[in-house]
Amino acid sequence: MDLQKMLSAVDHTLLTQTATWDEIRVICDDAVKYRTASVCIPASYVKRAKEYLGDKMAVCTVIGFPNGYSTSAVKALEAKDAIQNGADEIDMVINIGWIKDGLYDQELDEIRKLKAVCGERILKVIVETCLLTREEKIRMCEIVTESGADFIKTSTGFSTAGATFEDVALFRGHVGPNIRIKAAGGIKTLDDAERFLSLGASRLGTSRIIKLIKNEEAHGY
């Protein structure tokens, strides 16, 4: 796969609790240099990052992160605040307890509320696949398809596991044609990235791909 095509699918991500502005600025610079899809950063840095980047790069942030059990009203307020600060894309975490309780209509309503806040901006729905059964994953494919969101996303990267090839293939077989797939968490190699894309993902949430490329450049590979 063409390297630039791969990079154009990357949400260059830094969501660690200890992230500093200097570190955020570096990933912003790298995202512009390598022409990624976006930078995905904590909400507290969105305003400063957008002012720094202007129109050179899309800014993505996370809502209800990483556990997803904030109320729908709080998630909507978070999203509204992030958009007012300049966020171009929103990645929200579902209420996983609701899914375990079979409260699918409540989750559908929550996602619709977040999409209403986002309007034309991209909304990605993080379903945390490592915590769901196969049947629950399929049901979430159906809910996200019905909700009007733009993406279904595998993982936060903060739970027991990240994206798997099997889950991306499962998503591809069960989401509607209007829903794109984001694989996130544990994407360690260029081969991993290429395979996720070949299975149907159109976004990759990772910090490692650019680190690998920069390392290769530093060593003259």
Side-chain angles (χ1 to χ4, degrees):
M1 179 178 290
D2 176 72
L3 181 58
Q4 186 53 55
K5 183 178 180 181
M6 183 184 299
L7 287 167
S8 69
V10 168
D11 288 342
H12 191 29
T13 302
L14 180 58
L15 294 170
T16 57
Q17 297 96 323
T18 58
T20 65
W21 169 245
D22 284 344
E23 292 169 326
I24 296 291
R25 190 179 68 247
V26 168
I27 74 158
C28 288
D29 290 341
D30 285 344
V32 172
K33 177 180 178 180
Y34 294 100
R35 291 180 286 162
T36 64
S38 77
V39 288
C40 188
I41 60 176
S44 58
Y45 287 115
V46 165
K47 186 173 180 12
R48 193 169 181 183
K50 195 61 181 177
E51 290 171 350
Y52 180 71
L53 287 166
D55 295 329
K56 293 184 289 185
M57 179 56 52
V59 175
C60 172
T61 195
V62 288
I63 300 300
F65 194 86
N67 295 313
Y69 45 43
S70 303
T71 65
S72 299
V74 168
K75 289 179 184 176
L77 183 61
E78 281 188 84
K80 182 178 180 180
D81 180 65
I83 289 166
Q84 288 175 340
N85 286 332
D88 302 291
E89 302 185 4
I90 298 293
D91 289 18
M92 65 164 287
V93 185
I94 65 166
N95 189 315
I96 297 158
W98 284 355
I99 305 309
K100 297 298 181 183
D101 280 335
L103 300 175
Y104 297 116
D105 288 344
Q106 282 187 213
E107 188 55 51
L108 174 60
D109 182 63
E110 176 175 89
I111 298 169
R112 283 176 167 166
K113 286 178 179 175
L114 268 289
K115 184 55 184 174
V117 171
C118 290
E120 295 182 357
R121 292 172 179 82
I122 287 174
L123 175 65
K124 311 187 197 93
V125 180
I126 308 172
V127 303
E128 202 70 285
T129 49
C130 62
L131 302 181
L132 301 182
T133 66
R134 187 178 189 276
E135 291 72 24
E136 289 165 346
K137 294 171 194 176
I138 292 171
R139 190 71 183 93
M140 283 311 307
C141 287
E142 296 166 350
I143 289 170
V144 174
T145 298
E146 188 178 351
S147 71
D150 302 280
F151 279 81
I152 188 168
K153 176 178 170 182
T154 60
S155 319
T156 62
F158 281 69
S159 190
T160 57
T164 68
F165 302 130
E166 293 78 13
D167 283 335
V168 169
L170 182 71
F171 283 178
R172 186 71 281 156
H174 289 89
V175 294
N178 56 312
I179 301 298
R180 290 169 280 173
I181 298 168
K182 177 175 174 180
I187 303 173
K188 298 178 181 178
T189 67
L190 295 177
D191 286 342
D192 284 349
E194 183 171 1
R195 186 170 179 196
F196 277 119
L197 293 171
S198 71
L199 287 169
S202 56
R203 287 287 185 93
L204 305 172
T206 178
S207 62
R208 293 174 178 169
I209 298 302
I210 286 180
K211 287 178 182 177
L212 288 170
I213 293 169
K214 289 174 75 173
N215 185 61
E216 289 182 359
E217 291 174 345
H219 289 85
Y221 298 152

